[in-house]
Amino acid sequence: MSMKVDKEAFYRRAKRLYSTWKGGDGEWGKVDAVVCAVGVDEEVVYAKSTALQTWLLGYELTDTVIVFAKESMTFLASKKKIEFLRQLEGVGGADKGVPALKLLTRDKDDKDKKNFAKLVDTIKESNKGKTLGVFARDKFPGSFMDLWRDALKPEGFETVDLTTQFGYLMAPKEESEVHTIKKAALLSSDIFDKYLKDHIADIIDGDKKKSHSRVSKDIEDQIQNKDNKLLSGLDKSNIDMCYPPIIQSGGNYKLKFSVVSDKENLHFGAIICSFGIRYKSYCSNLVRTFLVDPSQDVQDVYSYLVTLEELILSKLKDGVKLSDVYNAAMDNVKKEKPELMDKISKNFGFCMGIEFREPALVIGPNCDRKAKAGMVFNINVGVTGLSNKDAKDSKGKNVALFIGDTVEVKSDENAVVLTPAKKKAKKVSFILKDVDSEDEKENKDNNAEIDPQMFGRGRRSAVLDQKLRTDSTMEAKRKQHQRDLLEKMNAAALKRLQDGDQGGEKVKMRKAPVSYKTPGLLPKESEVKELKIYVDKKYETVILPIFGVPVPFHIATIKNISTSKEGDYTYLRINFFHPGASVGRDEPRYPNPEATFLKEVTYKSTNIKEPGEIAAPSSNLDTAFRLIKEIQKKFKTREAEEKEKADLVEQDQLIISSNKGNPRLKDLYIRPNIVQKRLSGILEAHTNGFRYTSIRGDKVDIMYNNIKHALFQPCDGEMIILLHFNLKNPIMFGKKKQQDVQFYTEVGEITTDLGKHQHMHDRDDLAAEQAERELRQKLKQAFKGFCEKVESTTKGALEFDSPFRELGFQGVPHRETVLLLPTSSALCNLTSWPPFVCTLEDVELVHFERVQLSLKNFDMVFIFKDYNRKVAMVTSIPMTMLDHVKEWLNSCDIKYTEGIQSLNWTKVMKTIVDDPEGFFESGGWNFLDPESGSEEEDGDSEEEDENFELSGEDDGSDFSESDDDFSEDSNLSDEENYSEELDSDESSGKDWSDLEAEAAESDEMRSEDEDDRRHRKGGGSSSSKSRDRDRDRSKHHKSPKKSSSSHHRTPEKKHKSSSSSSSHRDKHHKDKSRDRDRDGKRKRSGSGSSSHHKSPKKSKR
């Protein structure tokens, strides 16, 4: 074995043991032999038996018995442990004051009966052979320990508990042991000074809500993180916590080390923190109390506790009784602070070493043992039940204070503190300042200058703001470019399909599950013989009795099970997989589908327990049901993991660069999280890839040759700055395949406390804003520098791309609306999770769905060159961004089409993949192009418009009530229709007087209609009549072309059109209704001419 034992230390300490024993003081003189038996129990952290093994050998040896006799030391252990102990042979002897060493190897065949007999004989031959020294509290479980105890029982040995004696024997530490404890104590101090203090301060300054148990877990994480700089210079495999860190606040205090941190949030009053580091099995401990806005009385008591601890250190010397130290301290309390007599802790500490607490050496009133040089004590001074009258809430009224250190007893001087963490009151106090805003005028100032035209209905004409004459020529060029792209795309796609790039994946045949390879492996349990259902967990098999024969079925063959109780019987039904069982799903492949399959089997058993039976017969079915469910769950979980890993591409091995100047970024978070909890870490670039190392020690490697897109998104307009890697092949971490990996850090407060009163001229706020600006700039430079260094070290093999924010548009790629940002090679959203990254090079075609002016949004579908790949979709893109998106796609040489319907893309793509040649022979993607067959579509649309108008006449009474029924988009469509009506009026050839007459008639009908609505409150019949009269007259004056162009508009909209003209012509008829306001705005914007008359200037245009 690679482990080595310190031979000199073993014989030196064994000699001390035998010297003390031969001295015959107290209990030592009563025993003839000493037995140390250690079993296997992972729950036992501290035990005298294991402490003795560690003290002598430096290691714990499980399932080992040591017998210390007058003439020999005998070890009984397994073969490997005996080989380890052979290092001690031939070194000791009588000349070193230690008896001979005997080693016995365990013999499991006869259950160690011969070995136990030898040990019993050794005990009998030692002195009188009657009395046995043992550790009464150590009772390890396990078969080996049970056999050993059974071997001792018949002999009738008397036992004497030597727990206290061995504790006092091992308490004085050698120089090497003290050196180890000093390392543990210094690490405890470093964790407190360099981590915990700042962590608590950050929670207090940020007014964060964090539970005691969460802070405790954070401290444990610091120890478990093997890359933590605080652990440098130590053997990290030998670092552990003595106990889970204890954090207490909020009036609920218990000054014990067996307390568990509760889930209450940290209260900003008195915060007690207790924790200890264990290094190479030797313990240390540290206790401190943080004070937040403490009153003067609390500060005075705390300062006195520090003074009292110094007094205890001055009294704790070699040869002094521990009770005398306690009495001296209590006398001082009685003299200086008599009010604390009932509130002070019951003892002032205890001795520690390999075990955290030695019960026999406590600084209390009843312990008369003397301190010895080299002993290490945990000194604790605390008070509970203090009342803080200045507390702001009920939790802060009850206060406890607790301080503690690890100290070493010296021979001629005061005890020395081994945990130098500062504990003076000013070093552990936090004074908070109340910052209140002066006034709230800023809200009024901010709201005063908001232009109402910027939002809401005032911006309804945004679609038409930039409709210039040059746009028509740009549109024509874009359409021509798109036609060229369509021809090229169809030709390239057909060639690609003919070349065979679309080959389907090979279907993997699963191996048939085998329960038992040989009949001899069939269990020989009583349930099998009794023809009961038996579940074999080891082989994941269910043995079912069928026609009197036990038949094994592997768990993979069982589809589902169900149980039911009906009357006096329990039924268990088991359904099996068979061909045709999973219609419509991915049916498993069967090696021999022509075989005979068992579809289902049902068992019935009575619930009635007969006299003499332990349980009812149905209990077998209940047990089988439960066990089958458990095994099925484990099997399915394992299958899912294997399936997840099945198609993983093996990555190259990361070559670590030893250069100190490697590009690195610190304090980055990773998405997706490695574990459920968010952890920060370091991203470092090496020779052929990146390595991310979390503070917990988790590692994620990303090879340069596996990166498809390396994206750097600065923090402009965002609350995070990030690096994103979209991978060619997914990698495995966090038990899942990941195609995207992101590293980011926050640059500001993600959340804002709306309860805080703020003022725009508050110095603190201005300073915070300035600090945030500086932080943003600093982070941007750091990330940019990192990207440039990586690009230079990889010699251009990896290049970082940044999104173009000015080209961004809103959309919903997953579940929430996000800002989609184009890059030179992709369209992405990286801020929200999961991310959206669409590679433009892989895109064959983009199709816009639901493109209608009556709708606010449209959808965008990405069809990929690989037709077997599922299409990507971005929904709910604002209609105002349609031209913007078209222009961007056109600049990227990507063909786009549009339509008013949403297609079933699963069926469309399946049709194409099934017959690609036929698809392209019939025109390919031309079926999506709106330019093809435009004349026929126009004719169809006119017929649909006529039908729509007829239906509107039948049930259009509801539309006359209010304009609120129409959305902004429907009004937008009106605006575009006005331009069409303008052209039709010009072609009709009417002069100015005719148009004036039409307008006058329209005004008369308008006033009549309003009178009807005012008196009848929207009566259906009269309203309908007025609309019919209005419609007839307007049709009489319109040209045929005009009539056909306005068929799709409702009567209400025609009514509004006439109202607009009268509003323009005569101010006397001015109305406050929404339709007149809107039309007035249209007129001001130059796009809202009436359909019944035009000004001469407009006619000339």
Side-chain angles (χ1 to χ4, degrees):
M1 296 178 70
S2 59
M3 296 189 301
K4 290 186 179 181
V5 63
D6 188 343
K7 303 171 188 176
E8 293 295 326
F10 172 80
Y11 282 102
R12 189 172 58 248
R13 293 168 188 175
K15 183 179 180 180
R16 194 204 297 183
L17 190 160
Y18 274 91
S19 299
T20 307
W21 188 6
K22 288 178 182 177
D25 293 337
E27 303 294 328
W28 287 106
K30 298 179 182 179
V31 299
D32 299 316
V34 178
V35 173
C36 174
V38 176
V40 179
D41 191 354
E42 294 178 355
E43 295 181 0
V44 175
V45 180
Y46 302 109
K48 195 63 69 182
S49 304
T50 55
L52 178 58
Q53 285 186 353
T54 305
W55 185 62
L56 290 173
L57 304 169
Y59 297 96
E60 292 182 12
L61 304 180
T62 57
D63 282 344
T64 301
V65 176
I66 308 174
V67 175
F68 298 93
K70 287 292 184 182
E71 302 300 326
S72 65
M73 284 187 295
T74 308
F75 289 79
L76 172 61
S78 64
K79 184 178 179 180
K80 287 186 177 180
K81 297 186 181 76
I82 293 300
E83 288 177 5
F84 165 73
L85 293 170
R86 289 196 191 282
Q87 301 174 63
L88 302 172
E89 287 184 326
V91 180
D95 57 331
K96 291 201 173 187
V98 178
L101 192 70
K102 294 182 180 180
L103 302 177
L104 300 176
T105 304
R106 287 185 58 190
D107 184 4
K108 296 182 180 179
D109 292 337
D110 71 340
K111 296 185 179 180
D112 291 306
K113 290 181 180 179
K114 293 180 181 179
N115 289 326
F116 290 155
K118 290 179 182 179
L119 292 178
V120 170
D121 292 340
T122 302
I123 294 170
K124 290 180 178 179
E125 293 169 4
S126 177
N127 284 353
K128 298 177 183 179
K130 294 182 179 180
T131 308
L132 207 57
V134 296
F135 304 121
R137 295 181 183 176
D138 296 355
K139 294 181 180 179
F140 289 90
S143 59
F144 179 68
M145 288 292 103
D146 292 338
L147 291 171
W148 169 242
R149 285 189 282 265
D150 292 340
L152 289 179
K153 273 184 184 179
E155 305 301 330
F157 293 120
E158 295 179 5
T159 57
V160 175
D161 187 10
L162 296 181
T163 302
T164 302
Q165 284 68 28
F166 269 89
Y168 197 59
L169 170 70
M170 296 185 290
K173 305 295 185 291
E174 296 176 357
E175 189 173 337
S176 61
E177 292 176 283
V178 172
H179 182 68
T180 302
I181 293 175
K182 281 182 179 178
K183 286 187 176 181
L186 282 172
L187 181 56
S188 297
S189 297
D190 286 345
I191 294 291
F192 176 83
D193 280 332
K194 298 177 182 178
Y195 171 73
L196 183 58
K197 187 186 291 185
D198 294 338
H199 189 51
I200 296 293
D202 182 54
I203 294 171
I204 295 171
D205 289 343
D207 197 18
K208 299 177 181 177
K209 301 293 184 185
K210 209 162 191 179
S211 67
H212 299 141
S213 57
R214 179 70 183 275
V215 177
S216 173
K217 184 70 169 58
D218 290 345
I219 299 172
E220 285 191 270
D221 290 344
Q222 290 294 310
I223 301 303
Q224 293 171 1
N225 177 20
K226 303 307 178 185
D227 292 336
N228 191 342
K229 291 182 179 179
L230 299 177
L231 310 183
S232 58
L234 300 174
D235 183 359
K236 295 169 185 174
S237 62
N238 281 318
I239 300 174
D240 200 1
M241 301 298 299
C242 296
Y243 55 89
I246 302 169
I247 310 296
Q248 302 178 79
S249 68
N252 185 18
Y253 302 98
K254 292 181 181 178
L255 307 187
K256 297 179 180 179
F257 298 106
S258 57
V259 179
V260 178
S261 301
D262 58 31
K263 295 183 179 180
E264 291 293 323
N265 286 334
L266 212 62
H267 179 264
F268 301 155
I271 305 170
I272 296 177
C273 305
S274 312
F275 67 97
I277 304 299
R278 195 182 190 200
Y279 182 59
K280 292 184 178 178
S281 299
Y282 285 86
C283 298
S284 67
N285 196 47
L286 178 70
V287 184
R288 292 290 184 269
T289 302
F290 291 103
L291 303 174
V292 183
D293 282 339
S295 64
Q296 190 58 46
D297 292 340
V298 172
Q299 289 186 65
D300 292 343
V301 174
Y302 182 89
S303 299
Y304 174 72
L305 292 183
V306 175
T307 306
L308 185 62
E309 186 188 19
E310 293 172 354
L311 173 67
I312 294 171
L313 296 178
S314 65
K315 298 294 183 182
L316 189 61
K317 295 180 181 179
D318 184 25
V320 177
K321 287 183 179 181
L322 297 181
S323 57
D324 292 344
V325 177
Y326 175 82
N327 293 330
M330 290 305 293
D331 290 342
N332 185 270
V333 174
K334 190 174 183 178
K335 179 181 177 183
E336 300 292 337
K337 292 279 186 181
E339 68 271 16
L340 299 180
M341 286 293 291
D342 297 330
K343 299 174 182 177
I344 202 89
S345 50
K346 302 302 180 185
N347 62 67
F348 296 132
F350 43 81
C351 185
M352 64 194 307
I354 297 172
E355 289 184 281
F356 177 71
R357 186 176 188 272
E358 180 52 58
L361 295 169
V362 177
I363 304 176
N366 302 320
C367 185
D368 293 330
R369 290 188 179 272
K370 294 180 180 179
K372 289 186 178 181
M375 285 185 176
V376 175
F377 279 81
N378 174 25
I379 302 298
N380 303 307
V381 183
V383 291
T384 56
L386 295 177
S387 58
N388 181 15
K389 297 179 181 178
D390 299 334
K392 298 178 181 179
D393 54 13
S394 59
K395 288 186 176 181
K397 290 183 179 180
N398 182 25
V399 175
L401 304 174
F402 201 26
I403 56 174
D405 289 286
T406 305
V407 303
E408 178 193 359
V409 178
K410 294 290 187 179
S411 54
D412 298 325
E413 54 182 308
N414 297 347
V416 177
V417 176
L418 303 181
T419 46
K422 300 188 184 315
K423 55 178 175 286
K424 292 285 179 73
K426 62 181 181 180
K427 298 292 183 182
V428 295
S429 297
F430 297 92
I431 309 299
L432 303 179
K433 295 180 180 179
D434 291 328
V435 182
D436 296 327
S437 60
E438 297 175 3
D439 52 29
E440 298 178 358
K441 292 182 180 179
E442 64 194 26
N443 294 333
K444 296 179 181 179
D445 296 338
N446 292 341
N447 296 332
E449 298 182 3
I450 295 177
D451 185 3
Q453 293 289 329
M454 294 297 291
F455 306 103
R457 294 182 180 272
R459 289 294 292 168
R460 270 174 31 218
S461 60
V463 177
L464 303 177
D465 278 353
Q466 296 183 1
K467 288 289 182 183
L468 306 177
R469 286 173 181 168
T470 56
D471 289 352
S472 61
T473 58
M474 294 293 292
E475 181 72 19
K477 288 180 180 178
R478 197 165 66 193
K479 287 183 177 180
Q480 181 59 42
H481 185 216
Q482 287 294 309
R483 280 193 288 270
D484 296 341
L485 287 175
L486 180 60
E487 293 176 6
K488 292 178 182 178
M489 181 190 69
N490 281 332
L494 182 59
K495 186 176 184 300
R496 190 171 62 249
L497 289 170
Q498 289 173 346
D499 292 344
D501 290 348
Q502 298 287 330
E505 296 181 359
K506 294 181 180 178
V507 178
K508 294 182 179 179
M509 292 287 290
R510 288 184 58 188
K511 290 181 66 176
V514 177
S515 296
Y516 304 107
K517 293 182 179 179
T518 60
L521 295 175
L522 197 70
K524 298 177 175 58
E525 304 292 334
S526 59
E527 287 93 337
V528 179
K529 295 177 182 178
E530 294 171 5
L531 294 180
K532 293 182 179 180
I533 298 176
Y534 178 73
V535 181
D536 189 350
K537 289 185 177 180
K538 182 179 179 181
Y539 291 97
E540 294 179 329
T541 297
V542 183
I543 300 176
L544 302 175
I546 298 178
F547 298 121
V549 178
V551 182
F553 291 88
H554 194 273
I555 198 70
T557 63
I558 296 177
K559 183 180 179 183
N560 53 49
I561 60 171
S562 62
T563 183
S564 62
K565 295 185 185 297
E566 297 179 10
D568 294 337
Y569 293 96
T570 296
Y571 295 87
L572 178 67
R573 178 177 175 178
I574 304 176
N575 295 321
F576 297 91
F577 284 108
H578 58 85
S582 303
V583 178
R585 300 181 184 178
D586 295 333
E587 186 172 344
R589 307 284 172 177
Y590 297 95
N592 186 13
E594 300 299 327
T596 302
F597 288 84
L598 180 64
K599 182 178 179 182
E600 67 176 71
V601 61
T602 304
Y603 290 92
K604 169 184 171 184
S605 184
T606 180
N607 298 331
I608 300 172
K609 185 171 69 172
E610 298 293 336
E613 290 184 339
I614 299 174
S618 62
S619 63
N620 176 245
L621 299 186
D622 296 334
T623 305
F625 176 78
R626 178 176 54 82
L627 293 177
I628 292 172
K629 281 287 187 184
E630 289 178 7
I631 296 175
Q632 261 193 329
K633 185 177 180 182
K634 291 179 182 178
F635 179 77
K636 287 178 181 177
T637 304
R638 192 175 70 251
E639 286 283 295
E641 291 178 1
E642 290 175 359
K643 187 178 179 182
E644 194 84 0
K645 296 176 182 177
D647 55 348
L648 279 179
V649 177
E650 187 176 352
Q651 301 295 315
D652 298 337
Q653 194 69 27
L654 182 68
I655 302 172
I656 303 294
S657 174
S658 57
N659 297 334
K660 292 185 178 179
N662 288 337
R664 64 163 55 191
L665 285 172
K666 299 180 180 179
D667 300 326
L668 296 183
Y669 298 107
I670 185 172
R671 288 200 289 195
N673 293 334
I674 300 174
V675 291
Q676 193 170 6
K677 178 183 175 185
R678 190 177 72 163
L679 298 174
S680 64
I682 298 172
L683 180 67
E684 188 170 4
H686 291 282
T687 306
N688 64 336
F690 296 101
R691 168 163 283 184
Y692 175 78
T693 310
S694 72
I695 57 172
R696 205 182 69 159
D698 304 288
K699 290 181 175 62
V700 177
D701 295 339
I702 302 172
M703 301 297 111
Y704 295 146
N705 59 10
N706 191 37
I707 296 175
K708 191 174 187 180
H709 298 291
L711 303 171
F712 161 52
Q713 181 172 298
C715 49
D716 300 328
E718 300 286 355
M719 298 306 292
I720 61 174
I721 184 170
L722 60 87
L723 295 175
H724 187 95
F725 299 110
N726 179 251
L727 307 179
K728 297 175 184 175
N729 299 305
I731 60 175
M732 196 85 176
F733 71 89
K735 295 185 179 180
K736 288 185 179 179
K737 287 190 297 187
Q738 308 296 349
Q739 191 83 41
D740 293 271
V741 185
Q742 187 179 110
F743 306 98
Y744 71 98
T745 187
E746 296 171 357
V747 294
E749 293 184 2
I750 300 293
T751 58
T752 303
D753 186 358
L754 298 178
K756 289 185 178 179
H757 297 288
Q758 297 179 342
H759 189 267
M760 64 182 295
H761 299 300
D762 191 341
R763 291 185 179 181
D764 289 343
D765 286 353
L766 292 174
E769 290 175 8
Q770 180 63 26
E772 184 175 324
R773 281 193 293 270
E774 292 173 358
L775 175 63
R776 284 175 177 269
Q777 191 62 28
K778 184 179 177 182
L779 286 171
K780 200 187 297 184
Q781 291 175 354
F783 274 70
K784 196 171 181 181
F786 175 82
C787 296
E788 290 171 353
K789 286 181 183 177
V790 171
E791 288 174 354
S792 62
T793 53
T794 57
K795 298 178 182 179
L798 182 69
E799 292 184 359
F800 283 88
D801 202 356
S802 292
F804 302 111
R805 195 168 186 84
E806 61 275 9
L807 296 179
F809 55 92
Q810 299 286 338
V812 182
H814 297 296
R815 292 185 178 179
E816 59 179 336
T817 302
V818 296
L819 181 64
L820 296 161
L821 301 175
T823 70
S824 59
S825 59
L827 176 67
C828 61
N829 169 261
L830 309 176
T831 309
S832 300
W833 200 263
F836 176 79
V837 180
C838 181
T839 306
L840 300 182
E841 190 180 350
D842 297 341
V843 175
E844 175 97 313
L845 171 73
V846 174
H847 181 66
F848 303 121
E849 296 183 336
R850 301 191 304 117
V851 179
Q852 297 184 64
L853 289 174
S854 60
L855 299 178
K856 291 183 180 181
N857 304 313
F858 67 93
D859 301 335
M860 188 175 179
V861 181
F862 294 89
I863 299 113
F864 297 102
K865 293 177 181 177
D866 179 5
Y867 292 163
N868 290 311
R869 184 176 168 186
K870 186 180 178 182
V871 299
M873 184 175 290
V874 178
T875 61
S876 301
I877 304 171
M879 191 67 73
T880 54
M881 301 302 293
L882 180 60
D883 286 342
H884 171 82
V885 176
K886 284 182 178 179
E887 187 62 38
W888 166 65
L889 290 173
N890 193 61
S891 66
C892 297
D893 291 338
I894 295 177
K895 170 65 182 172
Y896 63 80
T897 57
E898 63 181 67
I900 61 173
Q901 293 180 337
S902 297
L903 302 178
N904 186 339
W905 285 102
T906 306
K907 291 185 178 179
V908 171
M909 299 310 295
K910 187 176 185 302
T911 304
I912 296 171
V913 171
D914 289 344
D915 184 16
E917 293 182 359
F919 170 70
F920 284 104
E921 285 175 3
S922 62
W925 293 106
N926 289 331
F927 80 97
L928 292 175
D929 195 356
E931 298 299 321
S932 61
S934 58
E935 294 180 2
E936 291 82 2
E937 290 175 5
D938 290 340
D940 294 340
S941 64
E942 287 180 7
E943 292 177 7
E944 292 174 2
D945 290 341
E946 290 174 4
N947 294 335
F948 180 75
E949 185 177 10
L950 290 172
S951 63
E953 291 174 0
D954 293 336
D955 56 354
S957 60
D958 295 333
F959 290 93
S960 64
E961 292 295 324
S962 171
D963 292 335
D964 292 340
D965 293 338
F966 294 95
S967 65
E968 294 178 8
D969 289 304
S970 62
N971 290 321
L972 292 178
S973 63
D974 281 352
E975 293 170 8
E976 301 219 355
N977 289 327
Y978 280 119
S979 61
E980 297 176 6
E981 292 167 1
L982 179 65
D983 296 337
S984 63
D985 282 342
E986 286 177 350
S987 63
S988 64
K990 295 180 182 179
D991 60 7
W992 179 250
S993 59
D994 292 338
L995 295 172
E996 287 281 43
E998 287 178 8
E1001 291 175 359
S1002 175
D1003 288 343
E1004 289 175 5
M1005 287 185 291
R1006 173 76 174 178
S1007 60
E1008 290 174 7
D1009 192 29
E1010 287 180 352
D1011 290 338
D1012 290 341
R1013 276 188 296 183
R1014 192 179 299 111
H1015 290 93
R1016 294 177 175 81
K1017 296 183 180 180
S1021 59
S1022 62
S1023 174
S1024 177
K1025 288 178 182 178
S1026 64
R1027 277 199 309 276
D1028 293 340
R1029 188 166 58 249
D1030 184 7
R1031 189 179 300 109
D1032 293 340
R1033 295 185 183 183
S1034 63
K1035 283 183 180 179
H1036 176 72
H1037 290 289
K1038 286 180 183 174
S1039 64
K1041 184 177 180 181
K1042 168 75 167 70
S1043 300
S1044 63
S1045 67
S1046 61
H1047 278 162
H1048 67 283
R1049 297 171 58 217
T1050 62
E1052 176 70 7
K1053 292 183 180 176
K1054 294 178 185 178
H1055 203 70
K1056 286 197 281 189
S1057 177
S1058 64
S1059 134
S1060 172
S1061 70
S1062 63
S1063 172
H1064 166 65
R1065 188 181 68 257
D1066 191 359
K1067 298 286 180 73
H1068 179 70
H1069 291 287
K1070 185 177 180 181
D1071 192 5
K1072 293 183 181 179
S1073 62
R1074 289 193 187 112
D1075 50 324
R1076 293 193 179 201
D1077 287 343
R1078 291 195 198 108
D1079 293 328
K1081 288 175 185 174
R1082 288 198 192 95
K1083 177 181 176 301
R1084 286 195 295 274
S1085 64
S1087 61
S1089 293
S1090 169
S1091 62
H1092 292 288
H1093 86 281
K1094 305 179 295 299
S1095 66
K1097 290 183 181 179
K1098 304 232 176 196
S1099 299
K1100 287 176 184 177
R1101 183 190 298 179

